[in-house]
Amino acid sequence: MKSRSESLIRLKKFQVDEKRRQVAQIEMMIADFERMASELDQQIEIEHTKTGIADIAHFAYSTFAKAALTRRDNLLASANDMKGKLEAAQDALAEALEDLKKVELLDQREHQRERDEQNKAEQADYDEVARLRFRRQ
């Protein structure tokens, strides 16, 4: 029984660690997407300053700036998609943590029950010794 509950606890801890890694990985991806989008914003501003044309509808608008705007928008869309996945991953992590706590509590209760039974048996032995001593007197 002990090895089974210990194995279950190890499994739940592994699952929690895996969910934490997934959350951290998604957070890093979101941060990277947002950082790259910010860098593209800076490059677009530099291009606007260099060409003097900031109106996207203008016929002479920079093709580099158009491409950078498209890449930036795609990155921001990807970041927003990842935020939805992040929420799902955080929910899964919370659920895994709850499962781990439940298993740990059950294990603690089982150990406490075993200790109580052992103490009860020891007390019965002491009572028997005391009863035998009392009869001899």
Side-chain angles (χ1 to χ4, degrees):
M1 184 76 173
K2 266 187 180 178
S3 63
R4 182 176 168 194
S5 65
E6 289 172 2
S7 296
L8 187 57
I9 289 173
R10 275 197 312 273
L11 172 66
K12 294 297 180 181
K13 285 182 179 180
F14 175 78
Q15 289 172 344
V16 166
D17 290 342
E18 184 62 27
K19 301 293 181 195
R20 280 189 180 128
R21 278 191 289 278
Q22 288 174 353
V23 167
Q25 186 178 24
I26 293 170
E27 287 174 340
M28 276 189 351
M29 289 175 70
I30 291 170
D32 285 345
F33 289 161
E34 290 175 345
R35 179 189 48 77
M36 288 187 282
S38 175
E39 289 172 0
L40 284 171
D41 275 337
Q42 291 172 352
Q43 291 176 1
I44 292 166
E45 283 302 315
I46 291 170
E47 189 70 15
H48 288 172
T49 304
K50 191 165 58 173
T51 62
I53 302 170
D55 182 16
I56 297 172
H58 193 276
F59 73 94
Y61 189 74
S62 168
T63 55
F64 172 78
K66 282 182 186 177
L69 281 169
T70 302
R71 283 195 303 266
R72 183 204 59 196
D73 292 344
N74 288 339
L75 285 168
L76 292 176
S78 295
N80 284 333
D81 289 343
M82 294 305 291
K83 286 178 183 176
K85 291 180 182 180
L86 176 61
E87 287 180 25
Q90 288 171 332
D91 291 344
L93 173 60
E95 187 175 318
L97 283 168
E98 286 178 25
D99 289 346
L100 174 61
K101 287 187 186 285
K102 287 177 187 175
V103 170
E104 286 176 336
L105 284 172
L106 288 173
D107 185 56
Q108 283 178 347
R109 287 182 191 156
E110 183 62 30
H111 286 310
Q112 184 61 42
R113 195 174 304 127
E114 290 171 1
R115 283 191 297 270
D116 290 346
E117 288 174 7
Q118 185 178 6
N119 289 341
K120 195 175 188 180
E122 287 176 6
Q123 189 60 46
D125 290 343
Y126 293 147
D127 291 347
E128 184 62 28
V129 168
R131 203 174 13 258
L132 289 175
R133 281 188 168 180
F134 180 73
R135 284 186 185 172
R136 280 193 235 163
Q137 293 176 356

